[in-house]
Amino acid sequence: MPNAILDPTGRAPAPEATPAAAPRAARRPDLTGARVGLLENTKQNAALLLQEVATLLVAEHGAAGVVLMRTKQAFALPAPAELVAEYADACDVVVTGVGDCGSCSASAVADGVLLEAAGVPAAVICSDAFVATADAMAALRGAPGYRYVTTEHPVAVLTPQQVQERAEHVVAGVVALLTEARP
Amino acid sequence: MTEPDPDAAQAAIEHCYDQGWSDGLPLVPASRPLVDRFLATVDRPADEVIGVLPQLDRTVTVELAAINAAMAGCRPEYFPVVLATWEALVRERSTGGGGWQSTSGPAPLIVVNGPVRDELGFNRAGGAFGPGFRANATVARAIGLIVRNVYGIHPHVLEQATQGLPGRWSICIAENEEESPWEPLSAEGGIPAGTSAVSATLLRTCEFVDNRHTGSAEQLLTDFADTISRTGAWIFRHASVGIVFCPEHAQLLAGAGFGRAQVRTWLVEHCGRTVSDLARAGKDGLGDNGVRHASGERPEGFDRLLPSADRENLLIAVAGARNAGISMVVRLFSGWSGAAVPVPARAAAALEEVRP
């Protein structure tokens, strides 16, 4: 018998994906009176896009206002547990992003999964150029098929006016993610 | 001894491709006896954890590093250098964050110092950036295979390089200590000269400076400052770089009284661009998040590129042949740890054991 060829990965082959394995926070029927949290990741225009989305959530969907806005210290890494807990305590819903690079798109999705597990509905906004890595991270985090909102790439070079238009474009998707009972 | 069986070898190579393990080139299929010869070169438990990416839930062990080094084409006796290289890279902040997944597709820059260069046949002279030398080529490749296979960071999925860069998993140079006027790079990193060691960081590209035109240290450094200061490579408030000097340039500078520290001090003062230059490229604005942006509102001034004259912001090594004034500016992905990692001297017995 010849020697076996050794596997260099250290992992068993991935099992078949089981959708909806990850916990998902309970949804409210609408955003009336909802306390909004924004978690921005330092990417150019991310803070502005989140603020513009929040403005629309308040003006057009009855949200109470932004009660917490923080900047991730390490955009490439998932948010630390304390930060997730702080959002879960203070907010009814969270909008986060913008996934606009190789690692931050993946980590934004990881944040969404963590926030859901902590009991707060989350909407992740990700550039449409990073769907593959966002989906891969969702699967790694036990949430294959995790849904997020995409916006056309690029985001970093948009003018403030264009960012506002983007917000108008994505807000319906954000509301749907935060309120729909089923994914 | 029986003749090698090319058909069996080819079938094994194809098997490795089919599993998705390859970086595109053929792999050496790793067997238990081969990997055991790698493990025999180091005094480390096979299950010792040497790297973790918690965000991906992935863990590198000595055993997995050995399998990937074997697959990369390393000889067993290279393995202590692979482990030292890996440890040097783990010390880089960027490799624990998003470095391996980045759109910039950064490459490890690996610099080997000390007697291990000659013991294992690392090239330090002509063609220092390769190719052509098994030790240089396969140690660098081993790192790429660990990232791909153990961290599971594959192109188009968790690895999002926009274009990548030539030589991403092949930049391993040995320092030309013999023709360098300065102490070994590893000595700056805290390892005594004469002890084998590896320094490593991530880089975004290499750009040559060809200056066979002047005997003036200031004119030569001015040529480097121009390449270092181009706006295209500059994205944050400051940037860090490295220079791999050819012996001729290093000796010219040393002859004019420049040590590494003096080179750094000179370049910190002279590398940078006027605010109006930066504004023309849309990179004059300095926001809170540290990323440059188009502003057009700053008064004229001079922005220095390097944040400081610390070695962490300007790595200086010497490699290549002494046959021309051609050096390489290397663009660091972020700062460099400034550390060197020793390569443990191998027990003679282990050496005998791994030699077939």
Side-chain angles (χ1 to χ4, degrees):
Chain A
M1 268 296 280
N3 288 309
I5 296 175
L6 300 186
D7 184 325
T9 67
R11 292 186 305 280
E16 284 298 304
T18 45
R24 189 163 184 269
R27 262 49 189 171
R28 39 199 303 148
D30 58 52
L31 295 180
T32 307
R35 299 166 299 164
V36 177
L38 303 178
L39 176 58
E40 73 100 2
N41 65 352
T42 74
K43 289 288 153 181
Q44 191 72 20
N45 277 333
L48 185 57
L49 180 60
L50 294 183
Q51 283 161 345
E52 293 287 1
V53 167
T55 299
L56 295 172
L57 293 181
V58 172
E60 298 176 4
H61 298 273
V66 175
V67 295
L68 185 62
M69 176 157 187
R70 290 288 171 83
T71 299
K72 283 180 79 171
Q73 296 301 305
F75 65 72
L77 305 180
E82 315 82 71
L83 189 61
V84 172
E86 200 181 342
Y87 276 92
D89 277 351
C91 311
D92 298 312
V93 294
V94 176
V95 186
T96 186
V98 173
D100 193 27
C101 76
S103 56
C104 68
S105 305
S107 74
V109 165
D111 292 341
V113 175
L114 289 170
L115 287 161
E116 296 285 349
V120 55
V124 176
I125 303 175
C126 190
S127 149
D128 66 5
F130 293 99
V131 168
T133 197
D135 289 347
M137 179 58 105
L140 268 178
R141 292 274 158 168
Y146 180 84
R147 288 173 61 220
Y148 48 90
V149 184
T150 58
T151 189
E152 192 183 334
H153 193 81
V155 174
V157 298
L158 300 181
T159 64
Q161 176 62 37
Q162 290 171 317
V163 172
Q164 194 182 339
E165 289 162 15
R166 282 298 177 89
E168 289 163 10
H169 198 70
V170 299
V171 71
V174 169
V175 172
L177 279 182
L178 295 175
T179 56
E180 276 174 12
R182 287 168 180 280
Chain B
M1 172 170 169
T2 54
E3 287 293 311
D5 181 343
D7 299 310
Q10 204 225 335
I13 288 167
E14 288 299 328
H15 171 84
C16 294
Y17 275 117
D18 291 344
Q19 310 309 308
W21 297 337
S22 169
D23 52 13
L25 294 172
L27 296 165
V28 175
S31 67
R32 188 73 256 166
L34 176 61
V35 171
D36 283 345
R37 284 163 59 206
F38 278 71
L39 294 172
T41 66
V42 296
D43 190 19
R44 318 260 301 252
D47 61 356
E48 180 186 342
V49 171
I50 56 171
V52 181
L53 271 195
Q55 62 268 41
L56 303 182
D57 191 25
R58 300 274 161 83
T59 302
V60 183
T61 61
V62 169
E63 160 99 3
L64 288 169
I67 296 173
N68 281 282
M71 288 174 37
C74 289
R75 294 174 58 88
E77 57 266 38
Y78 303 171
F79 190 47
V81 181
V82 172
L83 287 188
T85 301
W86 180 258
E87 184 175 336
L89 286 166
V90 165
R91 291 187 191 190
E92 297 292 290
R93 196 172 55 85
S94 53
T95 63
W100 301 125
Q101 298 161 259
S102 171
T103 47
S104 59
L109 167 69
I110 304 162
V111 184
V112 181
N113 280 105
V116 75
R117 294 169 305 148
D118 284 342
E119 291 167 10
L120 301 180
F122 282 95
N123 176 40
R124 60 170 176 268
F129 279 83
F133 299 87
R134 181 173 177 178
N136 306 65
T138 59
V139 167
R141 189 188 188 201
I143 300 302
L145 290 179
I146 295 170
V147 170
R148 176 188 179 89
N149 289 321
V150 190
Y151 280 167
I153 299 176
H154 289 210
H156 296 189
V157 191
L158 289 172
E159 194 262 73
Q160 286 285 310
T162 304
Q163 295 188 314
L165 61 95
R168 185 174 190 197
W169 304 117
S170 64
I171 306 174
C172 174
I173 64 178
E175 193 170 42
N176 190 340
E177 296 174 27
E178 290 69 14
E179 293 183 298
S180 168
W182 302 316
E183 65 178 359
L185 176 68
S186 51
E188 265 203 322
I191 308 296
T195 297
S196 296
V198 179
S199 309
T201 187
L202 296 186
L203 60 78
R204 290 195 57 172
T205 198
C206 307
E207 306 163 65
F208 71 91
V209 173
D210 187 333
N211 191 313
R212 300 176 248 192
H213 304 70
T214 178
S216 155
E218 281 76 14
Q219 285 181 329
L220 178 61
L221 287 173
T222 298
D223 216 3
F224 280 96
D226 181 70
T227 291
I228 291 170
S229 302
R230 72 177 175 86
T231 61
W234 198 352
I235 57 176
F236 301 110
R237 177 179 292 266
H238 294 292
S240 297
V241 298
I243 302 174
V244 178
F245 283 112
C246 64
E248 180 178 323
H249 283 161
Q251 288 167 12
L252 189 159
L253 292 167
F258 282 85
R260 279 189 170 92
Q262 288 75 32
V263 169
R264 292 192 181 105
T265 301
W266 197 97
L267 288 171
V268 165
E269 262 177 52
H270 292 84
C271 292
R273 296 297 283 259
T274 62
V275 171
S276 52
D277 276 353
L278 289 161
R280 274 193 287 279
K283 291 183 170 179
D284 55 323
L286 292 168
D288 294 336
N289 64 3
V291 183
R292 289 181 169 272
H293 62 273
S295 157
E297 290 170 1
R298 288 180 59 202
E300 184 59 308
F302 183 79
D303 279 9
R304 287 184 175 181
L305 178 131
L306 292 158
S308 79
D310 296 333
R311 70 172 188 278
E312 288 83 354
N313 303 119
L314 182 42
L315 182 157
I316 295 175
V318 178
R322 58 174 188 83
N323 61 5
I326 301 173
S327 295
M328 203 72 94
V329 169
V330 296
R331 296 282 171 187
L332 302 198
F333 176 73
S334 60
W336 166 46
S337 73
V341 176
V343 179
R346 289 150 303 134
L351 244 186
E352 287 311 308
E353 199 175 317
V354 297
R355 291 215 164 110

